[in-house]
């Protein structure tokens, strides 16, 4: 079964608000986590990553938080824009380079931006 | 854009046929991974190629096979197609086998009738 999952299949937010997308993982051996954005008809696009020796990492308008105690990962998007509408996946890697397991993805959260 | 390209964009096959999908990795990347993404689901790892050899494999039957060429491009071959093989097939490249970050191409949409 999947070791990475998401709490909500759909998240609707107002344009300009902040969005928080959550992810739970069950494999305590996971040492690397990635957030991808996938727009309709396109491949997943890398957003931000974090290693297990960190608990927070910031990018441009995005922040990833990692709570290893409860095996929880979140993606925060500041000042959400219409272009942020997409499906967001968290993925984990339990070993460098993927190897026999590759990346394990959750089912995804569909972020809808209301005008 | 990631620089990872895939061909063809779309493909329609019938049950029992064979298909070959192609991927060119991003410049400087020597590791290619293939994923299957069913509608409404996250991608599922099929296998990974590094230096022309299979480096790891997910839970897919042997009728899913691959190749990597000296220029690091790759092929995914699927024999004896089944209806459930209908999916988006994604190729991702990374700079080395030990590099975790994988960059995806646009995918090939395969429909099996």
């Amino acid at each position: 079964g999947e070791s990475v999952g998401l709490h909500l299949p759909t998240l609707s937010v107002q344009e300009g608000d902040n969005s928080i997308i959550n992810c739970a993982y069950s494999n305590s051996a996971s040492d690397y986590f990635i957030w991808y954005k996938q727009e309709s008809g396109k491949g997943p696009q890398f957003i931000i990553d974090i290693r297990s020796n960190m608990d927070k990492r910031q990018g441009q308008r995005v922040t990833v938080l990692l709570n290893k105690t409860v095996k929880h990962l979140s993606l925060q998007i500041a000042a959400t824009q219409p272009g942020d509408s997409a499906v967001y996946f968290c993925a984990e890697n339990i070993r460098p380079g993927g190897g026999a397991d590759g990346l394990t993805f959750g089912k995804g959260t569909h972020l809808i931006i209301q005008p | 854009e990631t620089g990872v390209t895939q061909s063809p964009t779309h493909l329609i096959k019938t049950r029992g046929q064979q298909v070959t999908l192609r991927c060119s990795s991003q410049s400087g990347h020597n590791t290619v991974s293939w994923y299957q993404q069913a509608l409404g689901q996250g991608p599922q790892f099929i296998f990974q190629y590094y230096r022309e050899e299979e480096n790891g494999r997910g839970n897919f039957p042997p009728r899913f096979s691959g190749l990597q060429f000296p220029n690091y491009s790759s092929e995914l071959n699927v024999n004896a197609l089944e209806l459930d093989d209908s999916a988006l097939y994604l190729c991702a490249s990374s700079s080395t086998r030990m590099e975790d970050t994988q960059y995806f191409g646009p995918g090939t949409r395969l429909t099996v009738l």
Side-chain angles (χ1 to χ4, degrees):
Chain A
E2 293 181 336
S3 64
V4 177
L6 293 165
H7 293 310
L8 291 174
T10 302
L11 176 65
S12 183
V13 299
Q14 292 291 126
E15 183 178 348
D17 286 353
N18 296 333
S19 302
I20 299 177
I21 300 172
N22 295 305
C23 178
Y25 66 96
S26 58
N27 194 331
S28 57
S30 295
D31 71 344
Y32 179 70
F33 304 88
I34 311 175
W35 281 100
Y36 285 97
K37 170 187 179 184
Q38 188 173 26
E39 297 174 281
S40 181
K42 297 184 178 180
Q45 175 189 351
F46 172 84
I47 301 174
I48 192 168
D49 58 2
I50 189 167
R51 295 204 173 273
S52 58
N53 61 352
M54 303 172 68
D55 54 20
K56 180 179 180 179
R57 192 163 187 222
Q58 288 184 292
Q60 186 176 13
R61 276 203 311 121
V62 295
T63 301
V64 55
L65 299 177
L66 176 62
N67 185 330
K68 294 180 288 293
T69 303
V70 295
K71 297 178 187 171
H72 184 267
L73 190 70
S74 69
L75 175 70
Q76 300 178 1
I77 304 174
T80 311
Q81 303 169 357
D84 294 328
S85 290
V87 177
Y88 289 80
F89 292 97
C90 65
E92 66 178 320
N93 189 349
I94 64 171
R95 69 189 71 198
D101 299 304
L103 293 175
T104 300
F105 284 78
K107 289 185 173 64
T109 293
H110 185 193
L111 180 63
I112 298 171
I113 311 303
Q114 305 277 6
Chain B
E1 299 297 325
T2 63
V4 179
T5 61
Q6 292 186 243
S7 63
T9 305
H10 297 88
L11 202 52
I12 299 175
K13 291 286 188 177
T14 56
R15 205 169 53 178
Q17 284 188 311
Q18 178 266 343
V19 69
T20 298
L21 310 181
R22 295 178 175 82
C23 170
S24 291
S25 60
Q26 185 170 320
S27 178
H29 286 191
N30 62 18
T31 302
V32 173
S33 301
W34 286 92
Y35 292 81
Q36 179 195 66
Q37 186 176 24
L39 201 60
Q41 302 293 316
Q44 298 285 318
F45 176 66
I46 302 175
F47 43 56
Q48 182 182 82
Y49 276 83
Y50 169 71
R51 290 188 175 180
E52 303 178 53
E53 292 191 359
E54 187 178 292
N55 184 51
R57 189 179 185 92
N59 189 26
F60 280 82
R63 60 189 185 85
F64 286 78
S65 63
L67 286 172
Q68 187 179 33
F69 300 98
N71 67 354
Y72 307 129
S73 66
S74 177
E75 287 183 353
L76 164 66
N77 299 291
V78 187
N79 293 322
L81 284 167
E82 301 176 359
L83 297 179
D84 285 348
D85 295 333
S86 294
L88 181 68
Y89 287 85
L90 295 160
C91 166
S93 74
S94 47
S95 58
T96 69
R97 181 175 62 87
M98 298 302 289
E99 173 58 51
D100 296 302
T101 307
Q102 297 183 17
Y103 298 92
F104 284 83
T108 293
R109 171 71 62 187
L110 173 65
T111 302
V112 182
L113 302 176

